[in-house]
Coordinates of all heavy atoms in Angstrom, one line a residue:
T92 N 101.5 107.8 107.6 CA 102.9 107.4 107.8 C 103.1 106.0 107.5 O 104.1 105.6 106.8 CB 103.3 107.7 109.3 OG1 103.1 109.1 109.6 CG2 104.8 107.3 109.5
V93 N 102.2 105.1 107.9 CA 102.4 103.7 107.5 C 102.2 103.5 106.0 O 102.9 102.7 105.4 CB 101.3 102.8 108.3 CG1 101.3 101.4 107.8 CG2 101.7 102.8 109.8
D94 N 101.4 104.2 105.4 CA 101.2 104.2 104.0 C 102.5 104.6 103.3 O 102.9 104.0 102.3 CB 100.1 105.0 103.5 CG 99.5 104.6 102.1 OD1 99.5 103.3 101.9 OD2 99.1 105.4 101.4
E95 N 103.2 105.6 103.8 CA 104.5 106.0 103.3 C 105.6 104.9 103.5 O 106.3 104.6 102.5 CB 104.9 107.3 104.0 CG 106.4 107.7 103.7 CD 106.6 108.2 102.3 OE1 105.6 108.5 101.6 OE2 107.8 108.2 101.9
V96 N 105.6 104.3 104.7 CA 106.6 103.3 104.9 C 106.4 102.1 104.0 O 107.4 101.5 103.5 CB 106.6 102.9 106.4 CG1 107.5 101.7 106.7 CG2 107.0 104.0 107.3
S97 N 105.2 101.8 103.7 CA 104.8 100.6 102.9 C 104.9 100.9 101.4 O 104.8 100.0 100.6 CB 103.4 100.1 103.2 OG 102.5 101.0 102.8
G98 N 105.1 102.2 101.0 CA 105.1 102.5 99.6 C 103.7 102.4 99.0 O 103.5 102.1 97.8
G99 N 102.7 102.8 99.8 CA 101.3 102.8 99.3 C 100.6 101.5 99.3 O 99.8 101.2 98.4
R100 N 100.8 100.7 100.4 CA 100.2 99.4 100.5 C 99.1 99.2 101.6 O 98.6 98.2 101.9 CB 101.3 98.3 100.7 CG 102.2 98.1 99.5 CD 103.2 97.0 99.7 NE 104.3 97.4 100.5 CZ 104.7 96.7 101.5 NH1 104.1 95.6 101.9 NH2 105.8 97.2 102.2
L101 N 98.8 100.3 102.3 CA 97.9 100.3 103.4 C 96.4 100.3 103.0 O 96.1 101.0 102.1 CB 98.1 101.5 104.4 CG 97.1 101.6 105.5 CD1 97.4 100.5 106.6 CD2 97.2 103.0 106.2
I102 N 95.6 99.4 103.5 CA 94.2 99.4 103.5 C 93.7 99.8 104.9 O 94.0 99.1 105.8 CB 93.6 98.1 103.0 CG1 94.1 97.7 101.6 CG2 92.1 98.2 103.0 CD1 93.7 96.3 101.2
L103 N 93.0 100.9 105.0 CA 92.6 101.4 106.3 C 91.2 100.9 106.7 O 90.2 101.5 106.3 CB 92.7 102.9 106.3 CG 92.3 103.6 107.7 CD1 93.0 103.0 108.8 CD2 92.5 105.1 107.6
G104 N 91.2 99.8 107.4 CA 90.0 99.3 107.9 C 89.6 100.0 109.2 O 90.4 100.2 110.1
L105 N 88.3 100.4 109.3 CA 87.9 101.2 110.4 C 86.6 100.7 111.0 O 85.8 100.1 110.3 CB 87.7 102.7 110.0 CG 88.9 103.5 109.7 CD1 88.5 104.8 109.1 CD2 89.8 103.7 110.9
G106 N 86.5 100.8 112.3 CA 85.2 100.4 113.0 C 85.1 101.3 114.3 O 86.0 102.0 114.6
A107 N 83.9 101.1 114.9 CA 83.6 101.9 116.1 C 84.1 101.2 117.4 O 84.0 101.8 118.5 CB 82.1 102.1 116.2
G108 N 84.5 99.9 117.3 CA 85.0 99.2 118.5 C 83.8 98.5 119.2 O 82.7 98.9 119.1
W109 N 84.1 97.5 120.0 CA 83.1 96.8 120.7 C 83.5 96.2 122.1 O 82.7 96.0 123.0 CB 82.6 95.6 119.9 CG 83.7 94.6 119.5 CD1 84.5 94.7 118.4 CD2 84.1 93.5 120.3 NE1 85.4 93.6 118.5 CE2 85.1 92.9 119.6 CE3 83.7 93.0 121.6 CZ2 85.8 91.8 120.1 CZ3 84.3 91.9 122.1 CH2 85.4 91.3 121.3
N110 N 84.8 96.0 122.3 CA 85.3 95.3 123.4 C 85.4 96.2 124.6 O 86.3 97.0 124.7 CB 86.7 94.6 123.1 CG 87.2 93.9 124.3 OD1 86.5 93.3 125.0 ND2 88.5 93.9 124.4
R111 N 84.5 96.1 125.6 CA 84.5 97.0 126.7 C 85.8 97.1 127.5 O 86.2 98.2 128.0 CB 83.3 96.6 127.6 CG 83.1 97.5 128.8 CD 82.5 98.9 128.4 NE 82.4 99.8 129.5 CZ 81.2 100.2 130.0 NH1 80.1 99.7 129.5 NH2 81.2 101.1 130.9
A112 N 86.5 95.9 127.6 CA 87.7 95.9 128.4 C 88.8 96.9 127.8 O 89.5 97.5 128.5 CB 88.3 94.5 128.5
D113 N 88.8 97.0 126.4 CA 89.7 97.9 125.8 C 89.6 99.3 126.3 O 90.5 100.0 126.6 CB 89.5 97.9 124.3 CG 89.9 96.7 123.5 OD1 90.9 96.0 124.0 OD2 89.4 96.4 122.5
Y114 N 88.3 99.7 126.5 CA 88.0 101.1 126.8 C 88.2 101.3 128.3 O 88.9 102.3 128.7 CB 86.6 101.4 126.4 CG 86.3 101.3 124.9 CD1 86.2 100.1 124.3 CD2 86.3 102.5 124.2 CE1 86.0 100.1 122.9 CE2 86.1 102.5 122.8 CZ 86.0 101.3 122.2 OH 85.8 101.3 120.8
D115 N 87.7 100.5 129.1 CA 87.8 100.7 130.6 C 89.2 100.6 131.1 O 89.6 101.5 131.9 CB 86.9 99.7 131.3 CG 85.4 99.9 131.1 OD1 85.0 100.9 130.6 OD2 84.6 98.9 131.4
A116 N 90.0 99.6 130.6 CA 91.3 99.5 131.1 C 92.2 100.6 130.7 O 93.1 101.0 131.4 CB 91.8 98.1 130.6
F117 N 92.0 101.1 129.5 CA 93.0 102.1 128.9 C 92.4 103.5 129.0 O 93.0 104.4 128.4 CB 93.4 101.7 127.5 CG 94.4 100.6 127.5 CD1 94.0 99.3 127.7 CD2 95.7 100.9 127.3 CE1 95.0 98.3 127.6 CE2 96.7 99.9 127.3 CZ 96.3 98.6 127.5
G118 N 91.2 103.7 129.6 CA 90.7 105.0 129.8 C 90.0 105.7 128.6 O 90.0 107.0 128.6
F119 N 89.5 104.9 127.7 CA 88.7 105.5 126.6 C 87.3 105.5 126.9 O 86.7 104.5 127.4 CB 89.0 104.8 125.3 CG 90.5 104.8 124.9 CD1 91.2 103.6 124.8 CD2 91.1 105.9 124.6 CE1 92.5 103.5 124.4 CE2 92.5 105.9 124.2 CZ 93.1 104.7 124.1
P120 N 86.5 106.6 126.5 CA 85.1 106.6 126.7 C 84.4 105.5 125.9 O 84.7 105.4 124.7 CB 84.6 108.0 126.3 CG 85.7 108.5 125.4 CD 87.0 107.8 125.9
Y121 N 83.4 104.8 126.5 CA 82.7 103.7 125.8 C 81.4 104.2 125.3 O 80.8 103.5 124.4 CB 82.6 102.5 126.8 CG 82.1 101.2 126.1 CD1 83.0 100.5 125.3 CD2 80.8 100.8 126.3 CE1 82.5 99.3 124.7 CE2 80.4 99.6 125.8 CZ 81.2 98.9 125.0 OH 80.8 97.7 124.4
D122 N 80.9 105.3 125.8 CA 79.5 105.7 125.4 C 79.5 106.4 124.0 O 80.5 106.8 123.5 CB 79.0 106.7 126.5 CG 79.9 108.0 126.5 OD1 81.1 107.9 126.4 OD2 79.3 109.1 126.5
H123 N 78.4 106.4 123.4 CA 78.1 107.1 122.1 C 79.2 106.7 121.1 O 79.7 107.6 120.4 CB 78.1 108.6 122.3 CG 77.1 109.0 123.4 ND1 75.8 108.9 123.2 CD2 77.3 109.6 124.6 CE1 75.2 109.4 124.3 NE2 76.1 109.8 125.1
R124 N 79.5 105.4 121.0 CA 80.6 105.0 120.1 C 80.3 105.3 118.7 O 81.2 105.7 117.9 CB 80.9 103.5 120.3 CG 81.5 103.2 121.7 CD 82.1 101.8 121.7 NE 81.2 100.8 121.2 CZ 80.1 100.3 121.8 NH1 79.8 100.8 123.0 NH2 79.4 99.3 121.3
V125 N 79.1 105.1 118.2 CA 78.8 105.4 116.8 C 78.8 106.9 116.5 O 79.3 107.3 115.5 CB 77.5 104.8 116.4 CG1 77.1 105.1 115.0 CG2 77.5 103.2 116.6
S126 N 78.3 107.7 117.5 CA 78.4 109.1 117.3 C 79.8 109.6 117.3 O 80.2 110.5 116.5 CB 77.6 109.8 118.4 OG 76.2 109.5 118.3
R127 N 80.6 109.1 118.2 CA 82.0 109.5 118.2 C 82.7 109.0 116.9 O 83.5 109.8 116.3 CB 82.7 108.8 119.4 CG 82.3 109.3 120.7 CD 83.0 108.6 121.9 NE 82.4 108.9 123.2 CZ 82.8 110.0 123.9 NH1 83.7 110.8 123.4 NH2 82.2 110.3 125.0
F128 N 82.4 107.8 116.4 CA 82.9 107.3 115.2 C 82.6 108.2 114.0 O 83.4 108.5 113.2 CB 82.4 105.9 114.9 CG 82.9 105.4 113.5 CD1 84.1 104.7 113.4 CD2 82.1 105.6 112.4 CE1 84.5 104.3 112.1 CE2 82.5 105.1 111.2 CZ 83.7 104.5 111.0
E129 N 81.3 108.7 114.0 CA 80.9 109.5 112.8 C 81.7 110.8 112.7 O 82.1 111.2 111.6 CB 79.4 109.9 113.0 CG 78.8 110.6 111.8 CD 77.3 110.8 111.9 OE1 76.7 110.6 113.0 OE2 76.7 111.0 110.9
E130 N 82.0 111.4 113.9 CA 82.8 112.6 113.8 C 84.2 112.3 113.5 O 84.9 113.0 112.7 CB 82.7 113.3 115.2 CG 81.4 114.0 115.5 CD 81.4 114.8 116.8 OE1 82.5 115.1 117.3 OE2 80.3 115.2 117.2
A131 N 84.8 111.2 114.1 CA 86.2 110.8 113.8 C 86.3 110.5 112.3 O 87.3 110.8 111.7 CB 86.6 109.7 114.7
F132 N 85.4 109.7 111.8 CA 85.5 109.2 110.4 C 85.5 110.4 109.5 O 86.3 110.4 108.5 CB 84.3 108.4 110.1 CG 84.2 107.8 108.7 CD1 85.2 106.9 108.3 CD2 83.3 108.2 107.8 CE1 85.2 106.3 107.0 CE2 83.2 107.7 106.5 CZ 84.2 106.7 106.2
A133 N 84.8 111.5 109.7 CA 84.8 112.6 108.9 C 86.2 113.3 108.9 O 86.7 113.7 107.8 CB 83.7 113.6 109.3
I134 N 86.8 113.4 110.1 CA 88.1 114.1 110.2 C 89.2 113.3 109.5 O 90.0 113.8 108.7 CB 88.4 114.4 111.6 CG1 87.5 115.4 112.2 CG2 89.9 114.8 111.8 CD1 87.5 115.5 113.7
V135 N 89.2 111.9 109.8 CA 90.1 111.1 109.1 C 90.0 111.1 107.6 O 91.0 111.2 106.9 CB 89.9 109.6 109.6 CG1 90.8 108.6 108.8 CG2 90.3 109.5 111.1
R136 N 88.8 111.1 107.1 CA 88.5 111.1 105.7 C 89.0 112.4 105.1 O 89.7 112.4 104.0 CB 87.0 110.9 105.4 CG 86.7 110.7 104.0 CD 85.2 110.4 103.8 NE 84.4 111.6 104.1 CZ 83.6 111.8 105.1 NH1 83.5 110.8 106.0 NH2 82.8 112.9 105.3
D137 N 88.7 113.5 105.7 CA 89.1 114.8 105.3 C 90.7 114.8 105.1 O 91.2 115.2 104.0 CB 88.8 115.9 106.2 CG 87.3 116.3 106.2 OD1 86.6 115.9 105.3 OD2 86.9 117.1 107.2
L138 N 91.3 114.4 106.2 CA 92.8 114.6 106.2 C 93.5 113.7 105.1 O 94.4 114.1 104.5 CB 93.3 114.3 107.6 CG 93.1 115.4 108.6 CD1 93.3 114.9 110.0 CD2 93.9 116.6 108.3
L139 N 93.0 112.4 105.0 CA 93.6 111.5 104.1 C 93.3 111.8 102.6 O 94.2 111.6 101.8 CB 93.2 110.1 104.4 CG 93.8 109.5 105.8 CD1 93.2 108.1 106.0 CD2 95.3 109.5 105.8
T140 N 92.1 112.3 102.4 CA 91.8 112.6 101.0 C 92.1 114.0 100.5 O 92.5 114.1 99.3 CB 90.3 112.4 100.8 OG1 89.5 113.2 101.6 CG2 89.9 110.9 101.0

Side-chain angles (χ1 to χ4, degrees):
T92 303
V93 170
D94 205 34
E95 170 68 18
V96 174
S97 71
R100 292 183 281 129
L101 176 69
I102 300 172
L103 180 52
L105 291 170
W109 60 268
N110 179 35
R111 183 70 185 253
D113 288 332
Y114 294 79
D115 291 347
F117 282 79
F119 300 118
Y121 191 73
D122 64 317
H123 305 293
R124 291 191 314 284
V125 177
S126 295
R127 293 177 188 276
F128 174 88
E129 186 170 18
E130 291 186 11
F132 181 67
I134 294 169
V135 170
R136 189 177 71 248
D137 285 351
L138 286 167
L139 291 176
T140 58

